Amino acid sequence: MRNKQDWFNEKVSSVSPEIRTEIQLSAEIIARIDSILKEKNMSQRDLARKLGKSEAVVSRWTTGFPNLTLRSIAELSTALGEPLIQVMK
């Protein structure tokens, strides 16, 4: 019986390089949000309140592979007081 990680890796390996990159970027942004929340002792509920969003929206943004817009990334960065992404110069 295969575990979930093996199944996931198999599925990811069968998609285009662009989709793999999108999945990787989403995972890194989610990890960054989680790291900042822990660092600041904030919950998803706290973040939702700060954003004026429902907890369900924040939960969708912080689990799975959300298709975040630049606007939502900017909103999250502002609410967290930390950048989620940086553009290289």
Side-chain angles (χ1 to χ4, degrees), residues 7 15 20 25 41 43 51 56 59 62 68 88-89:
W7 177 87
V15 299
R20 272 189 298 243
L25 289 169
N41 295 314
S43 66
L51 289 165
S59 179
T62 58
L68 297 170
M88 303 298 287
K89 293 183 180 182

Side-chain angles (χ1 to χ4, degrees), residues 35-71:
S35 174
I36 294 169
L37 288 174
K38 287 179 182 168
E39 178 183 303
K40 296 189 175 212
N41 295 314
M42 288 177 66
S43 66
Q44 287 184 9
R45 175 178 285 158
D46 297 329
L47 180 57
R49 285 184 187 139
K50 221 169 182 184
L51 289 165
K53 306 274 186 197
S54 71
E55 289 180 52
V57 168
V58 171
S59 179
R60 279 194 305 273
W61 282 352
T62 58
T63 58
F65 294 97
N67 187 9
L68 297 170
T69 65
L70 287 175
R71 179 177 300 273

Side-chain angles (χ1 to χ4, degrees), residues 20-30:
R20 272 189 298 243
T21 299
E22 181 181 348
I23 291 168
Q24 182 63 38
L25 289 169
S26 288
E28 289 173 8
I29 290 170
I30 291 166

